[in-house]
Amino acid sequence: MIRPSETSFTKILPMTSDEALRRRFMILDEPIEANMRFGLLLEVLDKVAEEAALNYVNRFYPEARVVTAAIDNIVIRHVTDMSRDVHFKARINHVGRSSLEIGIRVEQPGDPVKHIASCYFTMVARSGVGEGAVSVVLPGLEYSEEIEQQRAAKALQRREEYKKQQALLREPPSREEFEMLTSLHAAQDEPGFNGLLTGHLTADAWERMYPEQENVPKKIFGGYLIRRAYELSSICCEQVAPNRPVPAAVNRINFFHPVRMGDTLHYTARVVYTSGSLICVEANIERISRDRTTKALSNSCLFTFMNINEKLEQQPVPVVYPTNYGEDARYLAAHRSCQSLTRDRQTA
Ligand code: GDP
């Protein structure tokens, strides 16, 4: 049987030696802190997760491919440094029936090594094309070392936690949560209320999908979509961040429906929750088919940003107020998701 360590895959972005690459990843053409485009890193991450998964799947099914089902989460631990290379160290943490959890540790070498992020992707192995595509059954891994057992257990925990959070959305809130929402609504009834309403903190964009996207061999389309969703979210976020918002975490990204050439995409981003220096932005991508008969949600994303000053110190963000039932539900879901990410961080 194969062990997780034998599924290791590494990709390097040689920022220090490749001038064009460094320029492509810059946010600004100035020596600012945290100057690396996170949206582009997301594209690379999706590609790395695909390659790591495919290496394993193709050992047993040479014709099969893998698709991204979800990004369970990405926890960003340090800001990036433009004067260092970026290393993506991927391996499989857990293999289910036809799904795999790929873990990716993003580091920047140096003394000391900078640990940039910990990322977890759920990939699914498929065979065949179009209507005839089916999931394939994968052989499991052997988890012999303690760290391998821990990572496999955490992969299952992440899956359970997500299911639990989804189930909770259909349940009434706890007493504490109810009181939190009630006070947000009561504040809006006060005379002279001038707080920020979540319903006003939105941004949207439209885009058509051209064959150009398909022509580039192995181009990871999913990665492109989430980069665009992230970039719109970061613009949307500036409506509430008094300073500079930088990415703190990807709470969750779901891939529901594939996007096809000729589709029209509608991206919507909205600030759903703030707390301390944190801002949560939800982004959805809706696809409209070429013949305009099908509309479907292709992706849903929840990003958390942190508001910081030039010295990278956290700065407070104003409270945002949900008004209607849907906004309350999104506020609550983001609140819970941030709490569970904070818990994970403390136990990591
Ligand atoms: P962890 O998941 O709590 O161990 O957090 P880390 O940030 O250390 O690692 C994130 C993921 O990256 C892990 O779950 C592993 O799947 C993968 N990973 C960590 N270290 C290595 C390594 O040295 N090589 C490879 N190929 N993958 C690694």
Side-chain angles (χ1 to χ4, degrees):
M1 264 175 121
I2 299 170
R3 295 185 26 204
S5 57
E6 296 169 273
T7 67
S8 293
F9 173 81
T10 303
K11 174 164 177 83
I12 295 173
L13 290 182
M15 298 290 180
T16 54
S17 55
D18 186 338
E19 177 61 36
L21 185 76
R22 185 162 69 236
R23 194 168 170 87
R24 178 158 186 259
F25 273 78
M26 277 178 186
I27 297 173
L28 286 181
D29 192 8
E30 288 168 27
I32 58 161
E33 294 274 7
N35 199 13
M36 212 177 284
R37 288 171 59 185
F38 181 69
L40 277 181
L41 289 178
L42 277 178
E43 265 190 28
V44 178
L45 281 167
D46 193 42
K47 176 113 181 122
V48 168
E50 190 206 39
E51 284 191 41
L54 207 53
N55 284 346
Y56 184 70
V57 170
N58 285 352
R59 290 185 194 211
F60 314 102
Y61 303 95
E63 301 297 315
R65 47 201 175 81
V66 297
V67 295
T68 310
I71 300 180
D72 297 277
N73 64 56
I74 298 179
V75 181
I76 298 165
R77 302 181 189 277
H78 290 100
V79 296
T80 47
D81 180 345
M82 255 333 205
S83 66
R84 298 188 190 192
D85 291 347
V86 189
H87 291 195
F88 299 82
K89 294 179 165 180
R91 68 173 52 154
I92 301 174
N93 286 336
H94 182 260
V95 176
R97 220 180 85 87
S98 62
S99 74
L100 314 98
E101 188 195 86
I102 307 293
I104 309 173
R105 185 179 162 100
V106 185
E107 287 179 351
Q108 294 198 285
D111 190 17
V113 171
K114 258 189 149 185
H115 183 184
I116 302 298
S118 310
C119 321
Y120 306 96
F121 282 67
T122 300
M123 314 299 285
V124 176
R126 309 271 291 163
S127 139
V129 282
E131 299 289 304
V134 287
S135 297
V136 300
V137 180
L138 297 169
L141 288 179
E142 181 186 326
Y143 314 98
S144 41
E145 272 178 45
E146 201 182 325
I147 178 96
E148 294 173 343
Q149 288 166 7
Q150 279 171 3
R151 283 181 177 148
K154 274 200 183 164
L156 289 172
Q157 247 176 40
R158 271 187 285 274
R159 189 189 296 186
E160 285 312 308
E161 174 70 26
Y162 179 69
K163 277 194 200 151
K164 211 173 82 193
Q165 284 192 19
Q166 288 304 98
L168 262 183
L169 290 178
R170 292 185 289 274
E171 298 286 326
S174 71
R175 189 183 180 89
E176 232 181 359
E177 292 169 339
F178 179 74
E179 280 166 2
M180 173 180 77
L181 292 172
T182 308
S183 75
L184 290 166
H185 283 271
Q188 296 173 55
D189 294 334
E190 291 292 320
F193 169 80
N194 67 352
L196 295 170
L197 299 177
T198 57
H200 295 167
L201 304 168
T202 60
D204 75 333
W206 291 86
E207 184 177 24
R208 181 105 67 197
M209 292 295 107
Y210 298 109
E212 185 192 354
Q213 305 292 349
E214 198 189 26
N215 284 344
V216 184
K218 289 206 148 216
K219 168 132 195 166
I220 304 311
F221 204 50
Y224 172 79
L225 297 177
I226 58 179
R227 163 162 81 78
R228 294 290 311 236
Y230 169 78
E231 288 172 352
L232 184 69
S233 299
S234 119
I235 291 168
C236 181
C237 187
E238 291 184 347
Q239 296 176 78
V240 46
N243 307 77
R244 176 177 171 208
V246 294
V250 173
N251 302 56
R252 177 87 188 177
I253 296 181
N254 292 310
F255 289 75
F256 296 119
H257 280 278
V259 168
R260 300 181 200 289
M261 299 307 119
D263 282 0
T264 301
L265 298 187
H266 187 202
Y267 298 80
T268 50
R270 47 187 146 214
V271 173
V272 293
Y273 172 77
T274 62
S275 168
S277 63
L278 300 180
I279 304 160
C280 287
V281 181
E282 185 187 284
N284 290 317
I285 309 176
E286 190 184 50
R287 72 167 279 256
I288 302 163
S289 63
R290 167 112 180 82
D291 59 8
R292 287 172 245 162
T293 57
T294 327
K295 256 191 182 187
L297 183 66
S298 79
N299 291 78
S300 77
C301 319
L302 186 63
F303 298 108
T304 301
F305 293 85
M306 186 183 278
N307 179 49
I308 57 165
N309 64 16
E310 312 83 75
K311 288 189 225 134
L312 304 179
E313 292 158 344
Q314 298 184 36
Q315 301 295 309
V317 170
V319 173
V320 294
Y321 297 85
T323 306
N324 58 37
Y325 181 79
E327 291 167 12
D328 282 359
R330 289 190 195 103
Y331 189 96
L332 204 51
H335 171 73
R336 288 172 179 160
S337 172
C338 280
Q339 282 190 321
S340 97
L341 272 184
T342 314
R343 272 201 304 274
D344 281 1
R345 213 178 201 150
Q346 280 156 357
T347 56

